[in-house]
Amino acid sequence: MYHNWLDRWDERRARRGEEEKTTTDFVLDPARAFSEAKEVATIEEFCRLADQAVADPAFFDEPSGSDQGFQKQDGWLRFPSGMSTDVDENNVVWAKITESGSFDQVLVVFHHWNATSRNRQIAQFFSRRGITVVEIAMPYHFERRRPGSSHADYMLSANLGRTIQSVRQAVWDGRKLLLWLRSEGYREISILGMSLGSWVAGLIAAHDPAVSKASLFLTAGSLADMVWTGRATRAIRDSLEPAIGLTDLRRAWAPLNMENHVHRLARPDLDLHVVLAKRDKVVLPELSQSFVQRLRDAGARPNILYLNCGHYSLARPPYILLAGLSLKRFLSAIAKSAR
């Protein structure tokens, strides 16, 4: 009875989020995704560039790697993004810092798609326990929101190239922040990603050795499959389906598929923590299970917590409390690199 009510609550929450989303045009837009794109006019040509990006170990490395331009004031950090887009607000990265008074550990948080506020409770909970919390704005979120937009439609959409550009920009921004945190003297860097933010956090953990611990909430491997099957992305699927099938979408967004980076996530000095919802209709459990199995096959041993709730009801008691306590234990454990 209770879980039937919980499912209905998740569905009502999903419907509210659906109100602002509409179908849009399918667009390849390869120049946003790949610097070498020239006369790309077909899905097959786009997919070939995506294949090359998967094979390129530097695809998620910011070319300049600059640590300049950081401004810290009154608990806020502001710095220029390493990628320039056609939305001026999106080209400046904002992060909220909740200090702990210690440089032993810092937790960088990447929120879910269309988040409207940062999580003060998480920040205060961990800062009181000696972990500084830095909540970064992903592209087109919070202070980086596109003027006139009802949600972060440029972060994830039926524009194939812009979606890759946005996730890649989020990874570059996150890695630039990690570089600054290292320069400030933080000794252990952990990251937390929620839903879409877990793809960003996972890609950063896969490509940046500065990360010693990564916690991924409500995650999976294939972003294409999540969009195609998920409750929150029906409008995007409706926009995609007349022009592209799931097989081609998987290939087009292959650089964003964490299953293609599991060998990096399985590196011996990285600890992984995964929180999954058994009743999730946004990131389907079978997609999450496929990703977990790929991690294990690559040699990773993730710490996994399964909760009998939905995607949105994870934020409700008792599930959020169980997830928070599990995350606390994970962050408190001695990192592999220190053993």
Side-chain angles (χ1 to χ4, degrees):
M1 183 70 70
Y2 172 73
H3 288 111
N4 288 337
W5 173 85
L6 202 67
D7 291 342
R8 292 194 298 271
W9 187 91
D10 265 271
E11 177 60 22
R12 289 194 298 271
R13 173 62 182 79
R15 286 177 183 171
R16 288 200 303 271
E18 202 170 47
E19 292 172 357
E20 298 177 337
K21 301 169 186 173
T22 59
T23 57
T24 58
D25 292 334
F26 168 80
V27 183
L28 284 177
D29 213 356
R32 293 187 189 276
F34 313 111
S35 57
E36 63 272 30
K38 293 182 175 64
E39 300 298 325
V40 173
T42 68
I43 292 172
E44 175 59 29
E45 290 171 331
F46 188 103
C47 289
R48 281 201 293 268
L49 291 177
D51 293 339
Q52 294 172 21
V54 172
D56 180 5
F59 184 72
F60 288 104
D61 295 347
E62 182 187 342
S64 66
S66 171
D67 60 352
Q68 303 300 311
F70 285 84
Q71 301 175 25
K72 182 183 177 185
Q73 184 176 6
D74 298 328
W76 289 92
L77 184 68
R78 181 176 182 267
F79 60 94
S81 174
M83 186 179 295
S84 179
T85 67
D86 53 356
V87 177
D88 290 341
E89 291 80 359
N90 184 53
N91 298 333
V92 178
V93 186
W94 291 80
K96 180 73 175 71
I97 303 177
T98 305
E99 303 277 4
S100 67
S102 170
F103 286 87
D104 286 339
Q105 190 174 9
V106 60
L107 175 67
V108 180
V109 179
F110 297 84
H111 295 86
H112 59 85
W113 185 41
N114 297 319
T116 57
S117 63
R118 292 178 171 84
N119 198 312
R120 184 168 55 91
Q121 291 85 357
I122 287 179
Q124 292 182 345
F125 178 83
F126 285 107
S127 66
R128 289 169 182 161
R129 288 157 178 80
I131 300 174
T132 293
V133 177
V134 181
E135 300 173 90
I136 188 173
M138 294 197 300
Y140 308 104
H141 286 76
F142 303 146
E143 300 82 11
R144 308 175 67 177
R145 184 172 176 172
R146 181 172 65 87
S149 63
S150 61
H151 65 289
D153 54 344
Y154 274 19
M155 179 77 186
L156 184 63
S157 72
N159 184 319
L160 301 188
R162 194 191 295 276
T163 296
I164 292 178
Q165 180 193 51
S166 298
V167 175
R168 193 183 189 192
Q169 182 181 28
V171 173
W172 284 12
D173 295 341
R175 296 190 65 184
K176 191 170 183 176
L177 174 59
L178 300 192
L179 188 64
W180 181 83
L181 290 169
R182 277 293 191 198
S183 72
E184 290 291 293
Y186 286 99
R187 288 179 281 277
E188 181 175 320
I189 296 178
S190 304
I191 56 177
L192 166 64
M194 306 173 186
S195 194
L196 182 60
S198 74
W199 266 266
V200 176
L203 289 168
I204 291 173
H207 291 85
D208 200 318
V211 178
S212 58
K213 295 181 179 181
S215 180
L216 309 177
F217 280 30
L218 307 172
T219 195
S222 171
L223 189 69
D225 280 86
M226 186 277 283
V227 167
W228 199 263
T229 61
R231 179 64 181 85
T233 49
R234 287 180 178 176
I236 298 179
R237 175 174 175 170
D238 289 345
S239 303
L240 291 166
E241 201 162 14
I244 188 172
L246 178 56
T247 299
D248 283 336
L249 184 63
R250 286 171 177 157
R251 191 175 166 202
W253 280 349
L256 312 182
N257 184 344
M258 284 200 287
E259 291 189 3
N260 291 327
H261 306 279
V262 289
H263 62 290
R264 291 174 174 269
L265 287 168
R267 58 184 168 87
D269 58 346
L270 176 65
D271 288 324
L272 292 174
H273 176 245
V274 179
V275 175
L276 301 174
K278 294 181 180 179
R279 313 177 79 84
D280 200 333
K281 298 295 191 295
V282 175
V283 182
L284 299 188
E286 52 264 37
L287 301 182
S288 300
Q289 281 300 116
S290 173
F291 176 50
V292 168
Q293 188 58 53
R294 289 289 298 273
L295 284 171
R296 288 172 171 159
D297 291 345
R301 294 295 176 263
N303 179 337
I304 303 175
L305 174 65
Y306 295 98
L307 295 172
N308 195 16
C309 62
H311 194 87
Y312 301 107
S313 49
L314 175 65
R316 297 179 61 88
Y319 306 109
I320 191 60
L321 301 176
L322 296 170
L325 289 173
S326 178
L327 176 60
K328 176 183 176 292
R329 288 192 294 269
F330 173 69
L331 295 177
S332 300
I334 300 173
K336 291 178 182 177
S337 57
R339 292 171 191 159

